[in-house]
Amino acid sequence: MEKKTILYLLIILIIAGFFRLANLKTIPPGLYPDEAMNGNNALFALENKDFKLYYPENNGREGLFINIQAFFLKLFLKFYSSPEAWMLRIVSAIFGILTVFGLFLLAKELFNEKIALLSSLFLAFNFWHVNFSRIGFRAIMVPFLLVWSLYFLIVGMKKIKIVPIIVSGIIFGLGFHTYIAFRMAPFIALIILFFQFVSYRKNNQLKNFWKLVTIWIIFVVLAALPMIIYFLNHPQDFMGRATQVSIFEKPNPLWEFLKSFIKTLTMFNFVGDGNWRHNLPHKPQLDFILGFFFLVGIYTIIKEIINKKLELDNILIISWFLLMSLPAAFTYEGIPHALRSIGMIPPTLILSGLGAYSFYEFIKKQFSLNKTIWILLFLIALSLIINYRAYFLVWAKNYNAFYAFNGNYYEIGKYLNQLPKESLKIVLVNAGGVLVNNIPMPAQTVMFLTNTYSIKNQNEKNIIYLLPNQLNLLHQFSSFILVPLEKDEKIKNAILQQFPSLSFYDYPYFWIFQSQ
């Protein structure tokens, strides 16, 4: 690469780092119980030296991401007295930044340096990818593993090199230890292998082709094998929650599929995900500038395909885009769903990069070169500002985002950590959810922050978790501080009626009941 390209790439990576690391301690606000569940599993694994391939709690999670989080927690807890949300989320941020770098390499291999720089730059500040790069969900590994495994696969096949093939196979196999959407990835790899088969046969090198493919498959299987064995022994865990929201649970699956598919394909320019954890509700996944470039990119690729330019770059990107829409399209809940379609992010931003480059080539014919460059730079800068404002100034400061990540539970956890160890602290879990160890999921946030997921730690830190139907147990304690998860007037009245001597304090995000 030229020095100029390296400089541009460094600037892009700095932008990517800023968007993913800036104010990570406070944005997103709070800690969603699903994130906390990952953290609690990681802490429990560290405490008991029991790292799992699959953590079955809360509909199940593949273990790779959680075990990586455990490593970071062990590192940070040498310097901090209690766990914090950013310790989980920094793992996602790192994967997000590395995905930007990987996308540059992949797009450069498929197209050219200019398209690669544009694509990676757009990924660096795109709200959709930035958001999930700052949340402790395992799904962020899907774009990372896809871009890197496909990049090394293409390099290895083009240059007939075994080392990139081995690296690709290992990375690809690890993908099956992550989010369920990765299971569409083999169909994407098949497209690359098909084009390489045609090329190798044309050059009378099929022996080399089959050698490389065999090596690749061996290392994919070796990396994926522990997970394959686990699912063979635990088939009920294979689909997890996907079966609960599958279109096949509906009376007319085909109609549900068509609705979900169309909503997924239109979420880039029209109506995006409505969930505050995933998006500014219903905001398109691309701002209007990247959305315009995206449409130009789609037009460019379709035009080339119609003109019979059936090259790997065109077919791979459009196929990848469509295939990775299926994990969302095969479900009916919360569509469009930015998380289930997370595997679409790399091809979507490559299409935007291709569209920006095509737009640049078009307007270059209308204006001078300098004016053309300034027009493109203005549009890119405007897009960056739009995404920065949308995430840091609008989304992050909205109270809906605070409650979407259960910021009130987070404040409870911080409050409990400030109390003396000898004080008996009781958390009343008056919020519904999937039961984990007979306690509803919402309690996971407080458990993580106080590191009281295990009974051992609950005893050491003098914290007890009770359900609303267990209020009578309070009679056995002479002195305690009681904090309900939710502000609920019925609960409040029930507590004060049974225990009229308790002092009541109303804080902004939670209530406190304290014995005299």
Side-chain angles (χ1 to χ4, degrees), residues 41 51 92 101 105 197 352 397:
N41 278 326
F51 297 92
S92 300
F101 182 35
L105 295 175
F197 172 80
S352 294
K397 294 184 177 182

Side-chain angles (χ1 to χ4, degrees), residues 149-158 164-165 168 189 192-193 216:
S149 62
L150 298 182
Y151 165 71
F152 281 114
L153 178 59
I154 291 170
V155 168
M157 296 302 292
K158 281 186 176 181
I165 291 294
S168 171
I192 296 173
L193 296 178
W216 186 75

Side-chain angles (χ1 to χ4, degrees), residues 139-160:
I140 193 61
M141 292 189 73
V142 172
F144 167 79
L145 293 169
L146 279 171
V147 297
W148 282 100
S149 62
L150 298 182
Y151 165 71
F152 281 114
L153 178 59
I154 291 170
V155 168
M157 296 302 292
K158 281 186 176 181
K159 298 181 178 179
I160 317 180

Side-chain angles (χ1 to χ4, degrees), residues 108 115 134 161 168 189 229 292 340 354 456 464 466:
K108 178 175 174 289
I115 293 173
R134 299 173 65 100
K161 297 285 186 179
S168 171
I229 293 172
F292 168 71
R340 291 179 202 139
L354 173 62
K456 174 188 171 185
I464 296 174
L466 294 182

Side-chain angles (χ1 to χ4, degrees), residues 277-499:
R277 280 188 302 280
H278 302 166
N279 194 23
L280 260 174
H282 308 299
K283 167 189 168 290
Q285 301 307 132
L286 302 173
D287 65 87
F288 74 93
I289 295 171
L290 293 190
F292 168 71
F293 289 154
F294 166 74
L295 293 175
V296 174
I298 290 280
Y299 169 79
T300 302
I301 278 192
I302 291 176
K303 183 180 177 182
E304 290 193 357
I305 291 174
I306 291 173
N307 291 334
K308 299 183 180 179
K309 291 184 179 178
L310 302 178
E311 304 293 337
L312 173 61
D313 51 8
N314 297 328
I315 300 300
L316 175 64
I317 295 305
I318 203 71
S319 301
W320 181 352
F321 177 80
L322 293 172
L323 285 167
M324 277 298 168
S325 71
L326 297 181
F330 277 109
T331 62
Y332 64 84
E333 179 207 60
I335 302 296
H337 203 287
L339 183 61
R340 291 179 202 139
S341 55
I342 197 168
M344 299 178 78
I345 292 178
T348 298
L349 275 300
I350 288 178
L351 286 167
S352 294
L354 173 62
Y357 180 74
S358 299
F359 176 74
Y360 167 79
E361 290 294 316
F362 173 76
I363 62 173
K364 195 166 68 172
K365 299 172 185 176
Q366 322 299 323
F367 304 99
S368 66
L369 180 60
N370 282 340
K371 191 174 287 187
T372 300
I373 292 173
W374 279 111
I375 290 172
L376 187 61
L377 286 176
F378 170 77
L379 291 174
I380 292 172
L382 181 58
S383 179
L384 185 151
I385 292 168
I386 289 169
N387 282 271
Y388 172 82
R389 179 183 177 276
Y391 186 82
F392 290 100
L393 303 182
V394 179
W395 180 86
K397 294 184 177 182
N398 193 293
Y399 77 95
N400 287 297
F402 177 86
Y403 283 102
F405 282 90
N406 297 101
N408 51 332
Y409 302 165
Y410 197 81
E411 294 298 321
I412 291 172
K414 289 198 301 182
Y415 167 75
L416 294 175
N417 279 338
Q418 296 170 5
L419 297 175
K421 184 179 178 180
E422 58 271 15
S423 298
L424 175 59
K425 299 162 283 286
I426 301 174
V427 179
L428 185 64
V429 188
N430 60 324
V434 176
L435 295 181
V436 177
N437 297 331
N438 296 316
I439 297 178
M441 263 293 292
Q444 295 297 317
T445 298
V446 177
M447 287 182 174
F448 174 74
L449 292 169
T450 56
N451 194 4
T452 53
Y453 178 67
S454 69
I455 297 297
K456 174 188 171 185
N457 287 354
Q458 287 177 28
N459 292 334
E460 284 181 359
K461 299 196 176 184
N462 220 2
I463 294 181
I464 296 174
Y465 295 87
L466 294 182
L467 301 180
N469 61 4
Q470 297 174 313
L471 281 177
N472 285 334
L473 296 177
L474 294 178
H475 286 290
Q476 63 185 288
F477 307 117
S478 58
S479 177
F480 59 84
I481 296 172
L482 173 68
V483 184
L485 279 186
E486 296 284 348
K487 287 186 171 184
D488 185 310
E489 287 292 335
K490 288 184 179 179
I491 286 290
K492 172 185 169 184
N493 294 333
I495 293 172
L496 293 177
Q497 185 176 356
Q498 288 191 52
F499 307 92

